[in-house]
Amino acid sequence: MKHLLTITILALTSLGARAQGTVTDYQRARSLYRTYSGKVTGTIAVHRRGDSDFWFSTTEGDSTVYYELNGRTGERRRIENPEPLRRNDRRWGGGGEQHHWMEVRDEKDWSAESPVNGAQRIVHRDNDLYLVEEGHADIRLTADGRDTCYYSSWGRWSADGRYYATVLIKPAPKRYVTYTLSSPSDRVQPRYSQQEYAKPGDSLNIRIPVIVDVQQRRTIRPQSTALFACQYHVSAPVWSDWQADTRPTVTFEFNERGHKTFRVLEMDLEGRVRTIIEEKNDKYVAYSRNLRRDLEGGRILWKSDRDGHAHLYLYERSNGKCRQLTHGDFWVRDVLHCECDAKGQGYLIFSANGRHCANMGRVASNRDGSITEEDPYNLHYYRIGLNGKGLVDLTPARGNHRIVLSGDRRSLVDTYSQVDQPAVSELRDAVTGTLVCEVSRADISRLEAVGWRAPEVFVAPGRDGTTDIWGIIQRPSNFDPTKKYPVIEYIYSGPGDQYVPKQFSTWHGNLADLAELGFIVVQLDGMSTSFRSLAFEQVCYKNLKDAGFPDRIAWIRAAAAQYPYMDISNMGIYGCSAGGQEALGALLFHPDFYKVGYAACGCHDNRMDKIWWNEQWMGWPVDESYAASSNVEHARNLQGKLMLVVGEMDDNVDPSSTYQVVNALQKAHKDFEFVLLPGARHTMGDAYGEHKRYDFFVRHLLGVEPPAWDEVQ
C-alpha cells in the first residue's frame, strides 16, 4: 500500500511539473509580442528616391538611421537629416465625405470640369445632366431622365471637350441591415442605425453606357444591349485613345450576373457595341482578380486564368487579335510596370508564384518530411518583352520576395524571406537581374536568445494523394517533444487568396499566443484557396462548405504520424468571418475529426452575407446549394463543443447570421456557448473574446480548469 501511494504521489508530482494552461502560460502568451519586439536587427524599409537611387531606414543599436543607396553601384551614404524623406513618405487618406464600403452610390454628386474650358462643368440635376458655367445660363443637356432611369454625373469628358461619357442608371431597391448599439458611452438609451447591405439574390442597378454630345445636345445610346444583358455590373465608360483619322470610342466592362461571362466592350459614336475581350467559364470568372492596362497604340494588357493558371495576354483593340505573353504551370499575380510605344514594342515587370517549382501539383516532400521544392506560393518577379520573349528572372533566390523599383526602372531592391528564414535585401539590375550587392541581412540572434521558435513549414498530400498541401506548424516556445500536445487549427479558407504566412515575422499572433498555453497550432491552404490552379480553387463552386477539409484532415493526420506528440484525438479549430463559418462547419460536416470549435462573426449562411463575395463563388440565382452549405440548416447535427462569438455592430457580416445559428441550436436542444460583444464590429473576439477562447480550449482540450481571470489580467 505504501509502495502504491509513493507511485501515485510521484505521478501527481510529474503531472504537476508538466502542467499546461497555467497562470504562467497565460502570462507568457499575453506578453509574447512584447517579448519578441525589437529583437531583430538588419531589416530595412526601402523607398524610391529620384530616378536611380533609393533610401532606406534601419535600426542600429537603439536608434533608427537612414541611408541613401546608389542604384547603380550599391554605395550608401548616411542621411543626416531624414525628416524631408519621412515627411514625403507619409500616407494621407482621401478628403471629403466618407462612405461605407457596402454602399452603392447614387452617382448624382460629381461635378466634372471640361478639359478644354475648365470653367464649364457637367452636373446632375433632377435626374438629368446640365452644363454650367459661372456668368452663363445653365444648359440642359438631357431631358428624359426620371426617378426610375436617371443620368449619372460620374462621367468622363473626351479629350477634345465635345463628348461626355457616362451611364444611365435604373436603380434597384436597396436592402438595409439594422443595428442596435446596446450600450453607447454617451447615454443610457441604445442607438439604432442602418447600413446598406445587398445580399445574394437581391435586385441590382441596371447601367446603360451613353455618350452625350455636348455641342449638339444629343444623347448617343447603344443600338443593342444584348452584349451586356443580365448584369451584375457595367463599369463607367472610358475613352479610348484615337488618332486624327479615327473617331473616338469608349470601352466598358460587363460582368454577367452569376459571373460565368465577363466582357470588355467598345461603343462608337453611332451606338454600335462590339466585344474586344471575352472570358467564359462554366463555374465562374473570378472578376475580382482581373487586371487590365490600356497601352499605347490601341493595345490592352489583360490577365486571365482561362488556361487553368493566371497569365498575361496582349490584345489589339482594332482587330481583337490576342497574344499570350506568359505560359506555364505558375500563377501571375500582378504587373508592377509596363512600357509600350506606338509600335507595340516594350516590356513589363510582373510578379508570379509557382514558376520556381518543377510542378505546382506535385508532392514536394520526402518520406522523412524534408522539403525538396520551393514553396509554390512564394512570390518572385520577372521581366518579359511585349512580344512574349526574353523572360528574365529578377529575383532568383529561394524565398518570398518584395521589390522596390527605381524611378528609371533600371535597378531594384529585392527583399526576400521565409517564415523560418529572416529577410535579406539585395540590389539588382532590373533589366538583367544581375546581383549588384547585398544591402542588408537580418540578424535574429537576440530573438532566438529569448526563446523564439520559428513555425515549421510542413508539406503532405491532400485528398487525392498526389497534390501537395502546404502549411505551417507552430509549437510553444517551451516545447517538449516527450509531452503530448492537443492540436488546434486556425482556419480561413475563403477562395480569392491564400492565407498561410510566407514572410518572416517575429510573431504570428493567430498561432503563437495560443500555442503558448500548451497546444500545437497549425494553419494550411487546402483546395478551395487560390493561386495554385483553377481546378485547385474551383472545388469551392456552389460548395463553400468543402473549405478544403478533406485536404486539411489528410495533412493533419500526416503531420501527427510524423510527430507522435501531436494529439489529434480531440482536434480543435477556430476562425473568424469565413473562418468562423468554416470552424463551425468543421464540427457539423466532419464531427468524426473536429471536436472543439470557436467560431467568431461567421457568415454561417451564404444567403445572409455580402452579395459580391458570396455570389462570386456560390453562383446565381440562389439555389439549393446555398442551403447545402448553410450552418443554420445543419445546426441540428452539432456533436462537439462549440463557442459562438459575434459583435453586435458587425458591419462586415450581418450579425443575424450568427443569431440564426443560435436559434437553430436552441431549437435542436444543443449545448453550446454564446458570447455577444456589445459595441464590437467584425472581430475574432477582442480582448474579452480572446480570453474566452483561451479558456475554452484549455478546458476542453487540455482537460484542466483555466486560471481565474483576476490572476492573469
Side-chain angles (χ1 to χ4, degrees):
M1 184 68 181
K2 182 178 180 180
H3 179 65
L4 179 60
L5 181 61
T6 301
I7 293 176
T8 303
I9 292 173
L10 287 174
L12 291 173
T13 302
S14 175
L15 181 63
R18 299 169 59 184
Q20 298 167 319
T22 65
V23 171
T24 301
D25 294 326
Y26 273 74
Q27 291 172 340
R28 192 173 62 255
R30 288 178 175 275
S31 63
L32 209 59
Y33 176 77
R34 294 191 301 274
T35 301
Y36 295 158
S37 293
K39 299 298 190 300
V40 177
T41 59
T43 57
I44 64 175
V46 184
H47 308 267
R48 183 186 304 166
R49 187 177 192 185
D51 287 338
S52 60
D53 297 332
F54 305 89
W55 68 272
F56 66 88
S57 59
T58 188
T59 301
E60 293 182 359
D62 295 327
S63 302
T64 301
V65 295
Y66 299 80
Y67 289 93
E68 182 179 65
L69 180 69
N70 186 299
R72 300 287 182 267
T73 66
E75 296 179 8
R76 66 182 71 192
R77 179 179 62 83
R78 177 84 175 258
I79 300 173
E80 301 300 334
N81 179 24
E83 181 56 30
L85 296 176
R86 289 199 300 258
R87 184 167 54 247
N88 291 337
D89 189 57
R90 288 171 184 152
R91 302 292 188 258
W92 299 97
E97 183 182 3
Q98 299 297 309
H99 293 268
H100 193 275
W101 62 291
M102 291 294 294
E103 180 181 351
V104 178
R105 300 285 295 279
D106 291 331
E107 302 186 17
K108 298 179 179 181
D109 56 350
W110 181 254
S111 175
E113 294 182 357
S114 166
V116 176
N117 180 359
Q120 291 184 335
R121 296 177 293 115
I122 287 181
V123 300
H124 176 101
R125 188 180 300 157
D126 299 326
N127 299 315
D128 280 304
L129 298 180
Y130 286 75
L131 182 69
V132 300
E133 182 177 2
E134 188 173 353
H136 296 76
D138 296 349
I139 299 174
R140 188 173 186 172
L141 299 177
T142 64
D144 56 346
R146 54 193 185 276
D147 290 342
T148 56
C149 189
Y150 63 84
Y151 289 89
S152 165
S153 64
W154 292 17
R156 293 175 174 86
W157 289 84
S158 61
D160 61 1
R162 175 172 176 176
Y163 301 101
Y164 191 71
T166 184
V167 293
L168 271 169
I169 297 177
K170 298 181 179 180
K174 294 179 181 289
R175 180 194 294 274
Y176 294 89
V177 171
T178 300
Y179 294 87
T180 300
L181 178 60
S182 62
S183 311
S185 59
D186 60 342
R187 69 189 218 184
V188 173
Q189 298 302 321
R191 292 186 185 277
Y192 304 98
S193 60
Q194 287 186 326
Q195 73 151 323
E196 186 178 332
Y197 196 110
K199 297 185 179 184
D202 285 356
S203 57
L204 299 173
N205 289 356
I206 301 298
R207 297 162 58 86
I208 302 172
V210 295
I211 299 172
V212 178
D213 186 332
V214 177
Q215 288 184 5
Q216 297 186 7
R217 317 289 191 259
R218 69 185 183 96
T219 301
I220 303 164
R221 298 193 180 191
Q223 293 182 9
S224 169
T225 61
L227 288 173
F228 52 96
C230 192
Q231 300 178 12
Y232 178 81
H233 183 69
V234 165
S235 68
V238 178
W239 289 100
S240 310
D241 59 339
W242 70 89
Q243 307 299 326
D245 59 345
T246 62
R247 301 192 70 189
T249 61
V250 295
T251 60
F252 59 95
E253 296 180 1
F254 161 65
N255 188 356
E256 183 183 51
R257 192 79 185 261
H259 310 301
K260 295 179 185 292
T261 304
F262 193 99
R263 296 188 181 105
V264 178
L265 301 170
E266 182 181 67
M267 186 173 79
D268 63 18
L269 296 181
E270 281 70 48
R272 293 183 293 243
V273 180
R274 71 181 183 95
T275 300
I276 300 176
I277 301 172
E278 181 176 85
E279 297 286 345
K280 279 186 172 293
N281 192 285
D282 60 356
K283 294 182 174 66
Y284 57 79
V285 176
Y287 69 93
S288 56
R289 58 175 176 243
N290 281 352
L291 183 151
R292 171 187 169 188
R293 301 278 179 88
D294 290 352
L295 308 178
E296 280 196 53
R299 296 170 183 86
I300 298 176
L301 181 66
W302 182 255
K303 186 174 78 168
S304 168
D305 55 21
R306 65 185 64 165
D307 76 350
H309 295 84
H311 285 293
L312 296 172
Y313 299 79
L314 191 66
Y315 277 86
E316 301 283 347
R317 196 172 66 238
S318 60
N319 55 25
K321 289 184 178 179
C322 172
R323 177 192 301 130
Q324 185 170 351
L325 301 181
T326 61
H327 305 77
D329 190 17
F330 62 95
W331 196 277
V332 173
R333 299 283 287 276
D334 198 7
V335 173
L336 273 72
H337 181 68
C338 184
E339 289 191 11
C340 177
D341 61 24
K343 296 181 179 180
Q345 303 298 311
Y347 71 94
L348 57 89
I349 295 175
F350 67 94
S351 60
N353 66 274
R355 190 176 178 275
H356 278 235
C357 306
N359 186 321
M360 281 222 288
R362 193 182 74 186
V363 175
S365 60
N366 293 322
R367 290 185 178 180
D368 63 357
S370 61
I371 297 173
T372 59
E373 289 189 9
E374 182 170 357
D375 188 325
Y377 295 98
N378 281 348
L379 274 179
H380 287 264
Y381 291 79
Y382 305 90
R383 177 186 173 115
I384 194 171
L386 289 181
N387 59 1
K389 299 179 180 179
L391 181 70
V392 177
D393 184 352
L394 299 176
T395 56
R398 177 175 287 205
N400 193 54
H401 295 255
R402 293 289 187 274
I403 70 171
V404 176
L405 283 168
S406 62
D408 59 9
R409 312 303 193 271
R410 292 179 58 189
S411 58
L412 61 88
V413 176
D414 170 29
T415 299
Y416 61 93
S417 67
Q418 300 182 86
V419 291
D420 54 356
Q421 298 292 326
V424 176
S425 295
E426 299 173 338
L427 178 65
R428 289 185 172 271
D429 188 299
V431 178
T432 65
T434 303
L435 175 67
V436 178
C437 66
E438 183 177 291
V439 179
S440 180
R441 183 176 292 267
D443 180 355
I444 62 171
S445 57
R446 292 174 59 205
L447 181 65
E448 292 174 321
V450 296
W452 177 83
R453 180 181 291 271
E456 177 193 350
V457 178
F458 188 82
V459 185
R463 70 185 74 186
D464 58 8
T466 58
T467 303
D468 57 307
I469 303 298
W470 289 71
I472 55 177
I473 300 172
Q474 180 70 62
R475 299 169 177 84
S477 61
N478 61 355
F479 171 70
D480 179 352
T482 67
K483 296 172 61 174
K484 280 281 191 178
Y485 290 87
V487 179
I488 302 172
E489 179 182 359
Y490 168 59
I491 188 169
Y492 192 100
S493 186
D497 209 336
Q498 64 84 207
Y499 305 96
V500 176
K502 301 300 174 184
Q503 290 180 253
F504 183 86
S505 175
T506 61
W507 179 72
H508 296 287
N510 287 321
L511 307 176
D513 291 4
L514 189 57
E516 288 302 296
L517 300 183
F519 304 109
I520 288 177
V521 186
V522 301
Q523 184 180 3
L524 60 138
D525 287 311
M527 290 186 184
S528 80
T529 57
S530 302
F531 308 145
R532 291 286 292 279
S533 71
L534 201 57
F536 189 97
E537 176 190 274
Q538 285 193 331
V539 299
C540 75
Y541 180 61
K542 290 186 175 294
N543 187 30
L544 282 175
K545 72 176 184 300
D546 180 280
F549 279 121
D551 310 297
R552 297 172 185 281
I553 293 169
W555 186 95
I556 293 168
R557 283 177 171 159
Q562 183 164 321
Y563 301 119
Y565 49 76
M566 293 178 62
D567 178 10
I568 61 172
S569 62
N570 202 24
M571 184 74 195
I573 189 168
Y574 80 100
C576 174
S577 195
Q581 176 183 13
E582 292 146 3
L584 175 52
L587 302 185
L588 300 179
F589 300 112
H590 304 277
D592 55 330
F593 188 76
Y594 294 96
K595 308 297 184 182
V596 182
Y598 174 99
C601 295
C603 42
H604 295 290
D605 188 311
N606 299 105
R607 295 168 292 191
M608 289 288 292
D609 193 30
K610 303 167 289 295
I611 187 174
W612 58 264
W613 196 85
N614 295 271
E615 276 196 14
Q616 186 169 190
W617 319 115
M618 292 294 290
W620 176 88
V622 174
D623 58 16
E624 66 278 357
S625 66
Y626 280 78
S629 287
S630 168
N631 290 342
V632 179
E633 299 285 347
H634 297 86
R636 63 186 179 278
N637 297 327
L638 179 67
Q639 296 182 36
K641 302 294 184 181
L642 170 66
M643 177 175 284
L644 286 170
V645 177
V646 71
E648 70 174 357
M649 298 298 291
D650 187 344
D651 55 357
N652 184 325
V653 176
D654 186 343
S656 289
S657 188
T658 296
Y659 302 153
Q660 289 181 0
V661 174
V662 171
N663 177 59
L665 290 170
Q666 290 178 349
K667 288 184 175 179
H669 300 286
K670 295 294 181 179
D671 185 22
F672 67 101
E673 296 184 45
F674 175 51
V675 178
L676 175 65
L677 300 171
R681 297 185 184 274
H682 197 60
T683 175
M684 183 69 81
D686 295 347
Y688 183 85
E690 180 182 79
H691 199 152
K692 294 288 287 185
R693 172 163 48 94
Y694 285 7
D695 288 356
F696 183 69
F697 285 127
V698 165
R699 182 176 291 112
H700 294 296
L701 294 181
L702 293 179
V704 301
E705 190 61 26
W709 280 39
D710 58 3
E711 295 184 68
V712 294
Q713 287 298 326

